[in-house]
Amino acid sequence: MAAPSPGPHEVLTPSPEAGHRAATSSSGRRGLLWRLRDKQSRLGLFEIGPGHELHQLTCMMQAGLWAATQVSMDHPPTGLPTEEDFSEVLTQVHEGFELGTLAGPAFARLRRSLGLAEEDYQAALGPGGPYLQFLSTSKSKASFFLSHDQRFFLKTLRRREVRALLAHLPRYVQHLQRHPHSLLARLLGVHSLRVARGKKKYFIIMQSVFYPTSRISERYDIKGCEVSRWVEPAPEGSPLVLVLKDLNFQGKTINLGPQRSWLLRQMELDTAFLRELNVLDYSLLMAFQRLHEDEQGTDSGLIFRTARSMRGVQSLEEPEAQNRRLLPDTPNALHILDGPEQRYFLGLVDLATVYGLRKRLEHLWKTLRYPGRTFSTVSPTRYARRLCQWVEAHTE
């Protein structure tokens, strides 16, 4: 393989302007109608353009990701996956900053297994259009972005969270091989960014659960508890896109019909996996989209997609054990489940919080602070069971 040897190494990259020219040339071919439709679907989101406090940072991310993806296009991983695929660190030096790509070959294989073309990935994350920002209801200090086409979600992480993600990455890939229709968010890349001689910032890229966005009416972040789980809704008619929480969902039901049994089983499989990793504080993202009359009560839009294992690795699981299902013939099908009248977007996100000493102490403090109330910081076993019970109680 022509790719650099495993371990940390540095390479000089083309200038950000070269990447921008290539991406701009590509986006220019989309046509005026596409750009107008794209602009309309961004209602409630904010372009990170010149003058925005994060504009310089996101321009660096775009130029760096364009060059990083070019490496995986020029030197795609070949042969069987190796341990080195998960430990490689590639540092690319740009003018004024450095971008690190962690476990690049492993993520390139994962993107390929999902049928995601590297050219499309590069065009969406590169300098072809500004990243988008939305009003986050998260209590964390992380920054959140969407690619300009809203297909990909970027989030900053702490160093310890990145270490946990990378430590679990081989088992995460195995889980997706065994259960190709898993609800787990599809992680597509982990990177570091250092500006001048400053401190490294880390961020991840994943497929957005809420895509396509054009007809989504409500969005929720569910943890199965009550403390700090209310968001003041946006005023009626407001263009703001808010992600609501558990207490906002009171009195509502997810009507899945025959798909309910699949969802309950997949929640058990995915949360059992996260419990084995000693992970907690993840969320079930959920959104609603009303189906048109001609979309209701028909299976004509469904196709059966067989498991896509990593190249060279065949899953030995029986289809029934894999819990595969009929997927809608639509973009982002792995995160979409159709009921009789509604389309639901579902995905488990935030998979990097380990139940270590810090979280155990937080559990003790919250037990004293919130007696008789449910909160997010509990043991992974209890967390998994409680979230599954929430789904069971709120579906029909």
Side-chain angles (χ1 to χ4, degrees):
M1 183 168 70
S5 59
H9 53 279
E10 295 187 356
V11 296
L12 293 173
T13 60
S15 68
E17 289 78 10
H20 178 74
R21 284 195 299 270
T24 302
S25 174
S26 173
S27 66
R29 292 190 292 269
R30 293 172 183 163
L32 177 61
L33 183 60
W34 185 94
R35 290 196 296 273
L36 287 173
R37 186 171 66 246
D38 178 57
K39 194 88 170 179
Q40 186 175 11
S41 71
R42 296 179 184 181
L43 288 175
L45 298 171
F46 308 94
E47 288 189 355
I48 303 177
H52 193 289
E53 60 179 352
L54 297 174
H55 181 246
Q56 185 178 10
L57 173 68
T58 57
C59 285
M60 292 177 183
M61 293 168 69
Q62 288 181 316
L65 290 173
W66 187 92
T69 309
Q70 191 64 44
V71 171
S72 66
M73 291 164 62
D74 294 340
H75 306 289
T78 59
L80 295 174
T82 66
E83 290 184 12
E84 286 76 14
D85 290 347
F86 295 92
S87 60
E88 181 177 296
V89 179
L90 172 67
T91 301
Q92 294 175 289
V93 181
H94 298 258
E95 185 178 347
F97 71 97
E98 299 174 357
L99 187 111
T101 300
L102 289 69
F107 282 111
R109 291 179 187 276
L110 182 54
R111 293 193 295 269
R112 186 166 63 198
S113 77
L114 296 170
L116 176 57
E118 293 291 77
E119 292 82 0
D120 292 342
Y121 186 68
Q122 184 186 57
L125 293 167
Y131 284 169
L132 306 175
Q133 188 181 36
F134 57 92
L135 189 62
S136 172
T137 56
S138 171
K139 294 182 67 179
S140 76
K141 296 180 180 179
S143 297
F144 304 87
F145 311 107
L146 286 168
S147 59
H148 64 85
D149 60 1
Q150 303 184 52
R151 284 180 66 189
F152 304 113
F153 182 86
L154 301 91
K155 178 184 178 181
T156 59
L157 289 186
R158 299 182 181 92
R159 185 178 178 181
R160 67 172 180 270
E161 294 173 319
V162 168
R163 283 200 301 262
L165 269 185
L166 294 177
H168 296 154
L169 185 57
R171 294 177 66 182
Y172 168 83
V173 169
Q174 290 175 357
H175 182 77
L176 296 186
Q177 290 172 358
R178 291 177 185 142
H179 306 290
H181 296 166
S182 167
L183 292 165
L184 298 184
R186 293 326 192 253
L187 297 174
L188 304 174
V190 176
H191 298 273
S192 65
L193 179 72
R194 187 202 299 271
V195 180
R197 297 186 179 274
K199 188 177 179 181
K200 281 186 180 179
K201 298 177 183 289
Y202 293 89
F203 64 96
I204 62 169
I205 304 167
M206 68 182 196
Q207 281 186 292
S208 175
V209 174
F210 300 152
Y211 178 84
T213 63
S214 58
R215 289 163 52 195
I216 289 178
S217 58
E218 301 173 61
R219 297 167 173 82
Y220 293 90
D221 176 314
I222 301 297
K223 291 183 182 287
C225 58
E226 58 180 319
V227 172
S228 301
R229 302 304 297 166
W230 167 263
V231 171
E232 192 64 35
E236 190 171 346
S238 169
L240 288 179
V241 175
L242 289 182
V243 180
L244 305 176
K245 298 185 179 181
D246 300 62
L247 296 180
N248 300 94
F249 198 80
Q250 286 184 346
K252 300 179 185 291
T253 303
I254 306 167
N255 184 7
L256 290 171
Q259 302 263 37
R260 179 176 184 265
S261 59
W262 177 88
L263 175 63
L264 297 181
R265 175 60 179 153
Q266 195 58 53
M267 283 294 299
E268 289 177 1
L269 291 168
D270 288 334
T271 57
F273 167 69
L274 296 174
R275 184 184 67 230
E276 291 170 4
L277 297 183
N278 202 32
V279 165
L280 73 158
D281 216 18
Y282 44 90
S283 296
L284 176 65
L285 288 188
M286 181 171 53
F288 295 177
Q289 172 189 311
R290 179 160 291 280
L291 294 172
H292 293 148
E293 270 190 41
D294 59 353
E295 298 172 318
Q296 297 177 15
T298 175
D299 291 334
S300 60
L302 296 177
I303 59 174
F304 189 76
R305 295 185 179 174
T306 56
R308 284 193 180 121
S309 297
M310 301 297 264
R311 186 178 182 86
V313 178
Q314 295 299 319
S315 174
L316 301 178
E317 302 286 339
E318 292 295 326
E320 191 171 316
Q322 291 180 319
N323 198 40
R324 289 184 289 182
R325 65 180 173 99
L326 289 170
L327 296 179
D329 189 12
T330 182
N332 202 29
L334 290 170
H335 288 302
I336 290 175
L337 206 58
D338 283 347
E341 298 181 353
Q342 295 264 17
R343 169 164 288 177
Y344 300 97
F345 298 75
L346 299 162
L348 290 165
V349 301
D350 297 337
L351 314 177
T353 303
V354 175
Y355 194 54
L357 178 60
R358 183 193 303 265
K359 286 296 176 180
R360 292 174 190 273
L361 292 175
E362 185 179 328
H363 169 73
L364 291 176
W365 179 82
K366 286 185 175 179
T367 300
L368 298 173
R369 177 72 175 82
Y370 304 109
R373 300 182 67 192
T374 57
F375 46 84
S376 63
T377 313
V378 295
S379 73
T381 297
R382 186 176 174 188
Y383 195 96
R385 181 174 63 246
R386 189 173 66 187
L387 188 56
C388 285
Q389 289 172 343
W390 188 97
V391 173
E392 186 169 8
H394 290 83
T395 54
E396 61 183 22

